[in-house]
Amino acid sequence: MLITLEQLTKRFGATLAVDRLDLEVRPGRVTGFLGPNGAGKSTTLRMILGLDRPTSGRALLDGRPYSAYEWPLRKVGALLEAKAAHPGRTGRDHLRAMARSNGIAPGRVDEVLEMAGLGGAARKRSGTYSLGMGQRLGIAGALLGDPPVLILDEPVNGLDPDGVRWIRGLTRDLAAEGRTVLVSSHLLSEMQVTADHLIVIGHGRLLADAPLDRILAGHASLEDAYYTLTDGSALR
Amino acid sequence: MTVLRAAIGAEWIKLWTIRTVWWSLVAALVLMAAGAGQYALYAENGDLDPGLFRDGLVPAGSIAVLALSFAQLAFVALAMLAMTGEYSTGTSRATLTWIPSRFRLLLAKSAVVAAVIFVGGTVAGVVGGVVAFPVLGDLGDAGGIVPTALKIGAYLALLGVVAVGLGAALRGPVLTLVVLLMLVVVVPPLLQVPDIAVLTAIADGLPGVAGNHFLLGDTDPYAPGLGLVIVAAWAVAAFAVGYRELNRRDA
């Protein structure tokens, strides 16, 4: 499945958060989504998922907006915030409701809990989870509908080294299976070993959209390349 | 239809898997039992509005209706939290990725809340009548307990939809609860006490007062059935405002 942004724009009052983004995210590879804080990454992801309404332009999944899909969780799995579950609800109940909402077989819940390594914690209220466990629950939710598209916002946030390695392997595997994998992260070293392709934005504008090796060319590391691209604005 | 059924199923699981709903229902039943006992004692002591007597007897169901002025707040809280909880706990975005259609989401939530409250409200109505009847002694009439309880369930279910719709429009639990309390509890007596025709007429158009007319079978100022229609109109209006806001604002 293809994610297509067409002149995607979002304005919050006087601030232009996303400025005429035109790009395509393709299947079969891990696409890293980079940019300083406030560059418009999360807003862009939210518009792809139909949560924020674009001021103008469109975000499409195989030519249709997210909201046009009858069972969206079977098309797109998203990890947006580490703790998107009600703190009073168990992780397992959260996923049960989620599966029910999109006509996903209830048996799939235990499968993804297993994959995410949540184990016994699944029957505890999610308010008791550590950041890393909340993240694992979110990823279990993203995998629930076995979707062809995965959108992961800062997936390694709060994960221990084992978790980071797991995510790295998982994103690579998902892309290798032919899925479209879009991962935003601040961790440039992580992106350097995970992503095949990079999209870099700053102040809502597209700064780069190229294969990792092309962006790296002539630079000692992704960090160097990134600062050249964003003009050091991440430091401000 | 299958998508709506799935949305209702998901909202059903969500409602029963947090503790708030259980506490609200327990609170509602306790408030109802306590309130019914208290009002039945008033009746026994001869301190009850004579308008409540029917053929010299007090219908136990009418005592449940009086006690509802407390118990309904627990139901309103349950309904409101089902919606505002999405915002206060940050789950609203997740929920909208599961069910992107704002209309379907609000419809599913309203349906689940209304169904649960209808049953809970009917049970509370029966509890109120059953508690009141023995306290009323010779004054009591148990005949209308069940029909009145069903009416209580219907009224509360519609009030629940008002709470869900307002919750969707206002998002914050505190603000939503304040508006609901104003609408149902605070404003009506302020309008009624001065006994000025215009103000009383406005009060008769508010959901709590209209519901009360419906439940007590008042024929003045309008037929009891119209009372229920007025509450239903509030539910439709709140749903429409909630839907508009869900659609208009970013999640």
Side-chain angles (χ1 to χ4, degrees):
Chain A
M1 252 187 141
L2 206 59
I3 306 175
T4 317
L5 310 187
E6 293 175 355
Q7 293 284 302
L8 190 69
T9 303
K10 180 70 179 181
R11 184 183 282 282
F12 293 110
T15 324
L16 202 51
V18 175
D19 189 2
R20 288 164 293 164
L21 279 189
D22 255 320
L23 56 91
E24 249 178 22
V25 184
R26 300 213 175 142
R29 62 192 192 194
V30 177
T31 303
F33 193 30
L34 299 178
N37 285 329
K41 296 192 301 292
S42 292
T43 305
T44 302
L45 299 183
R46 284 201 303 270
M47 286 193 285
I48 295 172
L49 296 165
L51 294 172
D52 284 7
R53 182 189 292 275
T55 307
S56 60
R58 296 193 297 176
L60 302 172
L61 299 146
D62 267 359
R64 297 164 71 193
Y66 182 85
S67 61
Y69 287 96
E70 213 166 57
W71 307 114
L73 299 182
R74 301 192 205 169
K75 295 293 172 199
V76 183
L79 171 78
L80 276 192
E81 291 135 299
K83 292 198 169 176
H86 191 294
R89 194 173 285 130
T90 70
R92 193 161 177 280
D93 285 338
H94 170 77
L95 294 178
R96 277 178 53 225
M98 192 173 180
R100 184 77 183 84
S101 72
N102 273 248
I104 297 163
R108 177 73 181 158
V109 168
D110 291 324
E111 266 175 54
V112 293
L113 282 170
E114 182 84 4
M115 284 165 82
L118 216 54
R123 291 176 193 273
K124 289 196 183 127
R125 292 190 291 143
S126 73
T128 65
Y129 292 4
S130 65
L131 186 57
M133 281 156 74
Q135 204 74 341
R136 282 173 184 271
L137 177 61
I139 288 162
L143 297 173
L144 190 64
D146 195 16
V149 177
L150 285 123
I151 295 177
L152 310 173
D153 196 4
E154 305 283 350
V156 298
N157 202 7
L159 287 177
D160 57 16
D162 266 359
V164 173
R165 252 182 88 161
W166 169 60
I167 287 291
R168 198 182 296 158
L170 182 72
T171 44
R172 306 281 331 150
D173 289 350
L174 290 166
E177 288 165 18
R179 299 178 210 251
T180 310
V181 183
L182 180 61
V183 183
S184 88
S185 181
H186 285 107
L187 298 176
L188 298 172
S189 51
E190 190 52 40
M191 279 288 115
Q192 192 171 349
V193 294
T194 314
D196 306 298
H197 191 95
L198 289 178
I199 293 166
V200 186
I201 65 171
H203 299 293
R205 285 226 175 102
L206 188 64
L207 300 177
D209 177 4
L212 179 73
D213 45 14
R214 227 168 68 212
I215 288 186
L216 279 177
H219 295 280
S221 68
L222 179 56
E223 198 168 307
D224 280 356
Y226 175 82
Y227 284 124
T228 310
L229 273 169
T230 59
D231 203 19
S233 67
L235 296 174
R236 270 187 243 134
Chain B
M1 262 336 263
T2 40
V3 281
L4 179 60
R5 246 197 341 259
I8 288 174
E11 287 301 324
W12 178 264
I13 295 174
K14 281 166 68 183
L15 191 73
W16 291 110
T17 49
I18 46 168
R19 290 177 188 175
T20 322
V21 62
W22 299 99
W23 288 121
S24 309
L25 290 173
V26 168
L29 292 178
V30 169
L31 286 170
M32 173 54 90
Q38 194 186 354
Y39 276 107
L41 278 176
Y42 286 172
E44 243 264 304
N45 294 338
D47 294 335
L48 205 64
D49 176 3
L52 286 170
F53 284 81
R54 295 283 181 271
D55 305 322
L57 293 177
V58 180
S62 298
I63 300 293
V65 174
L66 294 180
L68 199 57
S69 52
F70 308 117
Q72 67 181 347
L73 302 181
F75 287 109
V76 161
L78 184 165
M80 172 209 89
L81 286 170
M83 188 72 226
T84 59
E86 298 270 0
Y87 291 99
S88 56
T89 62
T91 57
S92 56
R93 281 187 186 143
T95 300
L96 283 168
T97 57
W98 309 358
I99 306 169
S101 158
R102 274 66 172 161
F103 182 76
R104 199 192 313 146
L105 174 66
L106 196 59
L107 192 61
K109 224 179 243 300
S110 301
V112 167
V113 163
V116 169
I117 291 187
F118 174 73
V119 174
T122 304
V123 171
V126 170
V127 166
V130 167
V131 168
F133 181 64
V135 181
L136 287 168
D138 295 343
L139 283 176
D141 170 11
I145 290 181
V146 172
T148 305
L150 287 167
K151 285 187 197 167
I152 288 175
Y155 157 70
L156 288 175
L158 289 172
L159 197 62
V161 176
V162 173
V164 170
L166 274 180
L170 302 173
R171 299 191 175 188
V174 176
L175 178 61
T176 308
L177 192 59
V178 166
V179 170
L180 283 163
L181 284 178
M182 295 292 274
L183 205 59
V184 178
V185 179
V186 178
V187 172
L190 293 178
L191 293 171
Q192 289 164 326
V193 167
D195 201 18
I196 297 167
V198 153
L199 296 184
T200 307
I202 294 173
D204 287 331
L206 294 178
V209 179
N212 222 49
H213 286 317
F214 162 66
L215 294 173
L216 291 175
D218 292 347
T219 47
D220 180 56
Y222 40 66
L226 186 56
L228 187 66
V229 171
I230 291 174
V231 186
W234 277 92
V236 170
F239 185 97
V241 172
Y243 171 63
R244 195 194 63 188
E245 288 303 300
L246 275 179
N247 231 6
R248 198 178 57 88
R249 291 170 63 179
D250 289 335

